């Protein structure tokens, strides 16, 4: 079974404010890449058997995606799609929102992003979220990686910071997005170190040299069982991510450098991450 653990469902431009747009322009990212229809989203994720859907809330950096939009989409397509709510702990009512999205809209996990939300991952507000999620068996997907969004210390995205959280909440399952790039080595060391830490490979294949080296490190550390598949739609589609993953060795063909094993590649693409995360 192919699980795409990392996709965004948004309304463009309503779900964003000015910092988001100016950061896109500054980093030469086409604004239209975030402008897609429901039909385009369905087509972009059609090659997955199950798909996790979320937005991002981070008022500090211009992300204000309405969780209800993703929840309503999933309610119409519940045989395939699963709703994760996005919680911004800098919002005054963040715990009320989390409780409502769990009790009323039946979210299956929680998406956070310290480098979007402008708060250190060890802040007391985050610890309230971790405590609630551990109690209710809700896995967390956290953006522990770089980003184009500015105005927040990049150090908040270092995956090593979640190692301490994993110690404090041993029954909380945490997925760190994008294999923690550019801190790939630190991310791999952390997921190998803590039984409740995992990572996904979303939005990596189109940086082929970094991706190749990342997957070689995963293999050398023996951490392949802690890595999940994801696309990061709309950055790319499920299908393109699968094909990009299977083509990871193209960049070293004929060089004598060791390839990433096909067994590792296929195990990650076909891993049932939902079962591992306790999502039935």
């Amino acid at each position: 079974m192919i699980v795409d653990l990392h996709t965004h469902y948004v309304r463009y431009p309503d779900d964003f404010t000015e910092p988001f747009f100016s950061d896109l322009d500054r980093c030469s990212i086409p604004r239209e890449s975030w402008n897609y229809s429901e039909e385009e989203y369905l087509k972009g994720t059609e090659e997955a058997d199950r798909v996790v859907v979320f937005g991002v809330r981070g008022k500090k950096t211009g992300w204000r995606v309405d969780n209800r939009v993703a929840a309503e989409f999933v309610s119409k397509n519940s045989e395939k799609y699963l709703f994760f709510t996005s919680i911004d702990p800098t919002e005054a009512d963040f715990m009320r929102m989390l409780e409502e999205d769990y009790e009323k809209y039946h979210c299956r996990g929680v998406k956070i992003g310290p480098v979007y939300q402008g708060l250190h991952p060890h802040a007391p507000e985050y610890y309230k979220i971790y405590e609630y999620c551990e109690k209710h068996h809700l896995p967390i997907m956290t953006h522990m990686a770089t980003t184009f969004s500015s105005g927040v210390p990049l150090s908040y995205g270092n995956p090593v910071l979640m190692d301490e959280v994993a110690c404090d909440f041993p029954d909380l399952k945490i997925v760190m997005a994008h294999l923690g790039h550019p801190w790939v080595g630190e991310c791999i060391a952390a997921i190998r170190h803590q039984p409740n830490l995992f990572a996904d490979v979303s939005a990596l294949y189109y940086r082929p040299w970094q991706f190749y080296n990342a997957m070689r490190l995963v293999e050398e550390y023996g951490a392949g069982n802690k890595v999940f598949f994801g696309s990061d739609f709309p950055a790319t589609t499920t299908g393109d991510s699968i094909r990009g993953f299977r083509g990871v060795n193209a960049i070293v063909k004929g060089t004598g450098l060791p390839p990433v094993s096909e067994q590792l590649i296929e195990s990650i693409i076909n891993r049932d991450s939902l079962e591992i995360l306790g999502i039935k």
Side-chain angles (χ1 to χ4, degrees):
M1 182 169 70
I2 296 175
V3 178
D4 191 336
L5 199 65
H6 194 131
T7 74
H8 298 264
Y9 193 82
V10 304
R11 299 171 307 173
Y12 180 91
D14 297 348
D15 285 338
F16 306 99
T17 60
E18 179 48 38
F20 172 85
F21 298 115
S22 60
D23 282 333
L24 285 179
D25 295 342
R26 178 179 51 80
C27 293
S28 300
I29 301 172
R31 292 188 178 193
E32 287 304 303
S33 64
W34 283 89
N35 187 11
Y36 54 87
S37 65
E38 180 175 319
E39 292 72 23
E40 288 170 322
Y41 175 83
L42 289 167
K43 183 173 178 58
T45 57
E46 64 183 353
E47 294 187 47
D49 298 300
R50 303 300 302 276
V51 181
V52 168
V53 186
F54 47 72
V56 175
R57 294 189 69 80
K59 64 180 181 180
K60 172 80 174 178
T61 51
W63 299 74
R64 61 172 189 186
V65 180
D66 188 345
N67 286 316
R68 302 294 176 271
V69 174
E72 290 169 7
F73 167 82
V74 168
S75 71
K76 297 185 298 181
N77 301 277
S78 59
E79 71 285 351
K80 176 172 178 175
Y81 296 89
L82 300 97
F83 168 51
F84 275 32
T85 186
S86 179
I87 302 298
D88 180 356
T90 69
E91 297 183 66
D93 60 346
F94 74 96
M95 285 305 298
R96 180 201 60 77
M97 182 181 296
L98 174 55
E99 292 166 2
E100 183 174 330
D101 285 352
Y102 174 66
E103 295 171 3
K104 183 176 180 181
Y105 294 97
H106 311 296
C107 69
R108 311 303 298 277
V110 174
K111 175 71 163 70
I112 60 173
V115 291
Y116 296 121
Q117 296 163 344
L119 203 61
H120 193 285
H122 298 168
E125 293 87 347
Y126 276 123
Y127 266 60
K128 290 181 181 179
I129 296 173
Y130 304 148
E131 182 177 10
Y132 185 91
C133 289
E134 185 179 52
K135 177 181 178 181
H136 294 282
H137 309 290
L138 293 172
I140 281 183
M141 167 75 73
T142 179
H143 184 109
M144 302 306 292
T146 188
T147 177
F148 62 86
S149 292
S150 63
V152 172
L154 195 57
S155 60
Y156 289 3
N158 193 313
V160 168
L161 296 174
M162 298 309 294
D163 182 80
E164 184 174 328
V165 175
C167 288
D168 291 340
F169 298 91
D171 294 324
L172 173 63
K173 294 184 177 178
I174 303 165
V175 182
M176 298 187 288
H178 316 303
L179 207 61
H181 79 99
W183 303 284
V184 172
E186 289 90 335
C187 182
I188 294 168
I191 64 175
R192 181 175 179 264
H193 182 228
Q194 300 289 2
N196 56 330
L197 273 183
F198 305 86
D200 77 33
V201 294
S202 59
L204 291 181
Y205 80 88
Y206 49 74
R207 296 182 178 92
W209 180 242
Q210 182 189 53
F211 188 41
Y212 163 77
N213 282 277
M215 297 316 300
R216 282 296 307 167
L217 277 177
V218 168
E219 195 158 21
E220 289 172 7
Y221 271 82
N225 64 316
K226 304 297 293 295
V227 179
F228 300 148
F229 175 76
S231 67
D232 199 28
F233 185 94
T236 182
T237 67
T238 303
D240 285 344
S241 295
I242 293 171
R243 288 182 282 276
F245 202 168
R246 287 176 172 155
V248 65
N249 291 314
I251 196 169
V252 297
K253 187 176 181 179
T255 67
L257 289 170
V260 178
S261 75
E262 296 295 326
Q263 181 180 1
L264 175 64
I265 294 167
E266 294 302 321
S267 69
I268 293 173
I269 291 173
N270 294 285
R271 177 160 292 129
D272 188 351
S273 54
L274 301 180
E275 182 180 4
I276 295 170
L277 294 174
I279 302 174
K280 298 180 181 180

